[in-house]
Amino acid sequence: MQKIPVYFMPGLAASPKIFENIKLPEDQFECFYLEWLLPEKDEPLANYIKRLCDNVRHQDPVLIGVSFGGVIVQEMAKVIRARKVIIISSVRCNAEFPRRMRFAKAIAAYRFFPTTMMQKVDWLAKFAKGNSIIARRLKLYELYLSVRDKKYLDWAFKTIILWDRTEPEPEVIHIHGDADEVFPAKYLKNYIPVKGGKHVMIIDRAKWLNEHLPELILK
């Protein structure tokens, strides 16, 4: 039996390492991991997507994206034909953005986002030892965020805030934690809920995903 190619796209600034706990049956699926490209100066999203699609070497692949990566794989499906598009901890259109993101768009807040702070995660972690929650989160950032180029970070925040998809694509499969703090579930429609799942559930709810992803891909 020919294996189904599955391409994974990580979240904003993250490396494919965030998928290290996702294990699909090797006799049915072949997994590939996309990485962020550095954007060209003022690069439109459509152009960036075309460059990213050059790294997809199979026809009719399954595209799976996390968070901002979920936005990216939906845009990729405009360029290449995909067998399935699955997003995790993401949104299907900008109408599902929380109020703070819509407000950020209205005031062009992406121009002022302190992306330089994301380049200093290692340094910040040293000063967060007294707060276990912050320290744990910074440790996750330090472990999984691999792209700290300011040009990329500025481009990424601007791109997601200005994402222009207003209507969800009905065929997109959306898996989302009901405790997601970045994209609260109350703003979403037609998603598969994961009880207690937070925005990082690709890491700490891997067991649930390993149990359900194969059937979602095959159905």
Side-chain angles (χ1 to χ4, degrees):
M1 185 179 76
Q2 190 171 7
K3 295 181 182 180
I4 297 172
V6 182
Y7 282 77
F8 291 88
M9 187 72 209
L12 191 149
S15 77
K17 193 172 183 179
I18 67 167
F19 299 112
E20 63 184 355
N21 296 323
I22 303 300
K23 309 293 182 186
L24 301 181
E26 294 183 0
D27 61 329
Q28 294 177 290
F29 307 100
E30 190 171 8
C31 297
F32 303 89
Y33 303 93
L34 297 167
E35 297 192 48
W36 292 103
L37 308 172
L38 289 182
E40 298 170 355
K41 183 176 174 57
D42 298 322
E43 184 170 20
L45 177 59
N47 191 71
Y48 187 91
I49 292 298
K50 287 178 181 177
R51 292 202 293 128
L52 201 55
C53 285
D54 288 340
N55 293 321
V56 177
R57 307 190 305 272
H58 300 81
Q59 292 185 338
D60 299 327
V62 174
L63 301 177
I64 299 179
V66 171
S67 192
F68 184 35
V71 169
I72 294 297
V73 296
Q74 291 177 80
E75 293 300 308
M76 290 176 68
K78 293 179 179 179
V79 179
I80 59 175
R81 189 171 66 179
R83 176 184 178 124
K84 287 280 175 66
V85 177
I86 300 174
I87 65 173
I88 301 168
S89 306
S90 189
V91 291
R92 295 195 299 154
C93 66
N94 59 20
E96 296 183 334
F97 283 166
R99 288 179 183 174
R100 64 180 177 273
M101 288 185 68
R102 284 178 258 172
F103 179 69
K105 178 179 180 180
I107 65 171
Y110 53 84
R111 297 178 182 174
F112 314 108
F113 195 88
T115 49
T116 51
M117 295 299 286
M118 290 185 68
Q119 298 175 292
K120 300 176 180 178
V121 170
D122 310 28
W123 180 81
L124 288 169
K126 296 177 183 178
F127 296 90
K129 293 181 179 178
N131 187 317
S132 60
I133 296 176
I134 294 176
R136 180 177 178 274
R137 183 161 295 184
L138 287 172
K139 193 66 179 177
L140 286 174
Y141 288 163
E142 188 178 356
L143 186 61
Y144 295 110
L145 295 192
S146 64
V147 188
R148 300 186 190 176
D149 181 273
K150 188 177 187 306
K151 184 171 69 171
Y152 163 81
L153 293 171
D154 289 340
W155 173 87
F157 281 107
K158 179 179 179 180
T159 298
I160 191 168
I161 291 294
L162 297 182
W163 190 37
D164 61 2
R165 180 175 292 218
T166 57
E167 296 290 333
E169 171 56 54
E171 298 301 317
V172 171
I173 298 171
H174 186 180
I175 304 170
H176 207 85
D178 63 9
D180 193 301
E181 65 279 21
V182 175
F183 297 120
K186 66 180 180 180
Y187 296 106
L188 309 178
K189 295 179 180 178
N190 301 322
Y191 66 95
I192 300 168
V194 178
K195 187 173 178 57
K198 296 188 176 182
H199 198 63
V200 294
M201 72 175 190
I202 191 68
I203 299 167
D204 56 21
R205 289 291 189 277
K207 182 179 178 182
W208 188 99
L209 292 165
N210 288 337
E211 289 175 358
H212 293 87
L213 278 175
E215 61 185 272
L216 290 172
I217 291 172
L218 294 172
K219 76 173 185 179

